[in-house]
Amino acid sequence: MMLHQVEALVEAGVDHVILAVSYRAEMLEQEIKKDETKYGIKISISQEEEPLGTAGPLALARDVLQGNEPFFVLNSDIVCDFPFRDMISFHKHHGQEGTIVVTRVEEPSKYGVVVYDEHGKVDRFVEKPQEFVSNRINAGMYILNPSVLNRIELKPTSIEKEVFPEMVKCNQLYAYELQGFWMDVGQPKDFLTGMCYYLQHMKQKQPRKLHQAEYTVGNVLLDPTAKIGKNCRIGPNVVIGPNVIVEDGVCLKKCTLLKGCHVKSHSWIESCIIGWKCVVGQWVRMENTSVLGEDVIVKDEMYVNGGKVLPHKAISESVAEPQVIM
């Protein structure tokens, strides 16, 4: 997910990416360093000793962010058609301290909404409005001038609740309306929805990257190292990662199979996320946003309905009702 953002940043001319990290930072650092050369950019790790919220990490990286150029701030758990060049143009046009990207939603009462005028100048934020005031919400992407750093101390701070309202008081925050799809993919169900949106986006923008074969239906993204058996039905909306093995007669719909997992013959998987190095046995049926953590084994002929399975477990009894398996 993060690399989709990095690719779009590179395309917009960004040459230095800073990752604000805390939990298991060393694993991310090992992976991401491979991409510095691939993309021809510098990738720095900014390690938090304690969680600093959504604004504190900017203060932690102050030495790198200070200068004359505005910088992007992105939530890493969103997916959309990242409009970074258009954001830069809009930000330079209004000339103020910050730009916040907003997106339209069907049910604004579930979110904090952004109210702004016809020029984009933000007037106020309204948290979970019970009466309609706007259907535009914060999309988790910003472009800010370095002067914003003067508003942030090195302590746990919320950019949305503490920094942005102060900028609004000074008429320094503008809203840019996002066109096209957007999804917060921080939860498994939303991840799968965002995956569908992104595959459709790829079909429109980069159709050659999608896999087409006699066994595929709709949008399928298949790593070249994956192996697919005979008489399978793959799709619609399936992502298959590196070194995955799918045996004969398997049916996959709306699911993600992560690196190194193995699905044995005649299994049926829909609306699921299969973690790294998992093994799904023969004649297994999985559905209803089931999620397997790393290195989970599902024995033959099991039924898994909405099971969230922690890593390194073996499932030897069917999971009839949605539950977490520890």
Side-chain angles (χ1 to χ4, degrees):
M1 291 189 294
M2 194 174 66
L3 288 179
H4 291 313
Q5 295 186 343
V6 170
E7 287 169 356
L9 288 168
V10 171
E11 204 173 289
V14 171
D15 58 11
H16 189 182
V17 173
I18 302 160
L19 304 179
V21 296
S22 127
Y23 177 67
R24 300 189 80 166
E26 68 287 343
M27 292 183 69
L28 181 61
E29 189 166 10
Q30 288 169 14
E31 287 295 316
I32 207 71
K33 285 299 177 184
K34 303 171 189 172
D35 296 299
E36 275 191 318
T37 307
K38 177 180 175 183
Y39 296 114
I41 60 172
K42 182 177 181 182
I43 300 177
S44 301
I45 301 288
S46 180
Q47 172 101 36
E48 299 172 36
E49 298 302 323
E50 62 167 333
L52 291 172
T54 50
L58 301 183
L60 189 62
R62 188 187 309 273
D63 291 348
V64 189
L65 296 174
Q66 280 175 332
N68 300 317
E69 288 291 313
F71 53 85
F72 291 104
V73 178
L74 311 174
N75 292 353
S76 63
D77 59 355
I78 58 167
V79 64
C80 65
D81 183 3
F82 300 106
F84 295 138
R85 288 189 182 277
D86 293 340
M87 284 174 66
I88 293 169
S89 298
F90 178 81
H91 183 74
K92 288 183 175 177
H93 177 73
H94 68 67
Q96 302 306 317
E97 202 169 41
T99 297
I100 174 176
V101 177
V102 296
T103 186
R104 186 197 310 245
V105 292
E106 296 298 323
E107 292 187 54
S109 61
K110 292 163 58 177
Y111 303 92
V113 301
V114 186
V115 182
Y116 50 94
D117 67 17
E118 67 274 16
H119 304 295
K121 182 163 70 71
V122 177
D123 177 64
R124 67 190 188 279
F125 298 94
V126 182
E127 190 63 32
K128 296 184 179 178
Q130 296 308 302
E131 295 182 4
F132 183 87
V133 289
S134 168
N135 61 356
R136 303 302 200 278
I137 67 164
N138 178 351
M141 295 187 290
Y142 323 121
I143 185 167
L144 305 172
N145 290 348
S147 57
V148 169
L149 298 170
N150 298 328
R151 302 178 181 274
I152 306 169
E153 296 180 39
L154 184 54
K155 64 179 185 179
T157 311
S158 166
I159 198 167
E160 299 86 359
K161 295 178 180 177
E162 297 175 66
V163 180
F164 287 161
E166 292 302 313
M167 294 170 68
V168 168
K169 288 178 185 176
C170 307
N171 299 318
Q172 288 293 314
L173 189 64
Y174 276 67
Y176 170 84
E177 292 188 13
L178 180 68
Q179 305 302 312
F181 79 100
W182 176 89
M183 198 71 200
D184 177 329
V185 289
Q187 298 294 326
K189 186 177 180 182
D190 297 333
F191 173 90
L192 291 169
T193 301
M195 176 196 73
C196 296
Y197 286 156
Y198 196 83
L199 290 176
Q200 184 60 28
H201 166 69
M202 286 187 73
K203 182 182 178 182
Q204 294 166 359
K205 298 291 180 74
Q206 300 172 300
R208 291 182 181 178
K209 288 191 174 182
L210 295 176
H211 190 73
Q212 289 187 319
E214 69 281 358
Y215 54 81
T216 59
V217 180
N219 298 331
V220 174
L221 187 60
L222 180 74
D223 189 274
T225 61
K227 294 181 172 64
I228 309 296
K230 299 173 185 174
N231 302 317
C232 291
R233 183 189 190 276
I234 311 294
N237 298 311
V238 171
V239 175
I240 297 178
N243 303 314
V244 168
I245 298 171
V246 177
E247 293 187 5
D248 299 349
V250 168
C251 179
L252 303 174
K253 303 178 186 179
K254 193 183 177 183
C255 59
T256 291
L257 277 58
L258 296 177
K259 182 178 180 179
C261 68
H262 184 168
V263 180
K264 295 189 177 179
S265 59
H266 306 294
S267 285
W268 191 96
I269 299 174
E270 181 173 6
S271 297
C272 297
I273 302 169
I274 309 299
W276 306 271
K277 304 176 190 170
C278 287
V279 178
V280 177
Q282 296 179 326
W283 298 100
V284 168
R285 183 181 179 108
M286 293 180 58
E287 59 188 351
N288 193 19
T289 321
S290 292
V291 181
L292 303 185
E294 183 177 8
D295 182 36
V296 167
I297 298 171
V298 180
K299 299 290 181 68
D300 295 350
E301 301 179 24
M302 292 296 107
Y303 172 56
V304 182
N305 173 29
K308 310 291 191 292
V309 187
L310 272 65
H312 316 299
K313 299 294 177 187
I315 302 300
S316 54
E317 294 182 6
S318 289
V319 181
E321 299 294 332
Q323 60 183 284
V324 176
I325 298 166
M326 303 178 68

